[in-house]
């Protein structure tokens, strides 16, 4: 509920064929910028995003992330960041294609000891040339 209360508009559920097929939940935080040295900013944190396996590779994940970033921006977010498993090649590629930069690697981020990339993008999100947002 804490995540939801931070920015309910960035807590989104995707439905297809009358069933839940994905979600994203984000919160707003205040801290040092990941992209601008020594600057304090309001930033959106993608806490969790998932799409059911049968519905992947249909643009649902991208749609969820873009919608959440727009909501975070409306609440004063200046950048958006997330952590993604370093071995999750498809997700890393999606975020890079969306303009996220890899800021650093976080060792042992996950419970199983796996590492994560911390990736960040500036808001407002305008997409990339030639990519629909």
């Amino acid at each position: 509920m804490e995540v939801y209360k931070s920015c309910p508009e960035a807590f989104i559920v995707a439905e297809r064929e009358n069933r839940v097929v994905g979600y994203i939940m984000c919160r707003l935080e205040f801290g040092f910028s990941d992209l601008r040295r020594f600057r304090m900013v309001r930033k959106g944190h993608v806490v969790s995003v998932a799409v059911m396996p049968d519905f992947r590779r249909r643009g649902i994940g991208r749609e969820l992330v873009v919608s959440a970033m727009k909501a975070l921006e409306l609440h004063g977010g200046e950048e958006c960041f997330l952590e993604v498993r370093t071995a999750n090649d498809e997700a890393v590629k999606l975020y890079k294609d969306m303009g996220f930069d890899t800021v650093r690697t976080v060792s042992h981020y996950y419970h199983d000891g796996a590492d994560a990339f911390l990736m960040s993008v500036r808001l407002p999100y305008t997409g990339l040339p030639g990519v629909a947002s």
Side-chain angles (χ1 to χ4, degrees), residues 4-16:
Y4 175 77
K5 287 178 184 177
S6 170
C7 187
E9 295 84 359
F11 196 110
I12 304 165
V13 174
E15 295 180 71
R16 299 291 188 273

Side-chain angles (χ1 to χ4, degrees), residues 8-64:
E9 295 84 359
F11 196 110
I12 304 165
V13 174
E15 295 180 71
R16 299 291 188 273
E17 302 167 13
N18 293 318
R19 64 186 258 220
V20 172
V21 298
Y23 73 90
I24 189 168
M25 57 183 192
C26 307
R27 68 174 167 238
L28 281 165
E29 301 176 1
F30 187 75
F32 283 107
S33 171
D34 294 315
L35 302 170
R36 302 168 202 158
R37 293 182 55 117
F38 308 116
R39 182 161 178 227
M40 298 293 285
V41 295
R42 209 168 147 90
K43 51 190 182 174
H45 183 181
V46 176
V47 175
S48 183
V49 59
V51 176
M52 297 291 289
D54 292 348
F55 289 85
R56 292 181 185 158
R57 304 187 62 80
R58 297 186 191 184
I60 295 169
R62 177 184 299 269
E63 204 176 310
L64 286 166

Side-chain angles (χ1 to χ4, degrees), residues 102-122:
T102 301
V103 176
R104 66 180 167 275
T105 302
V106 183
S107 297
H108 308 292
Y109 180 80
Y110 293 97
H111 291 292
D112 63 2
D115 297 342
F117 290 130
L118 186 139
M119 301 182 79
S120 193
V121 67
R122 287 186 185 201

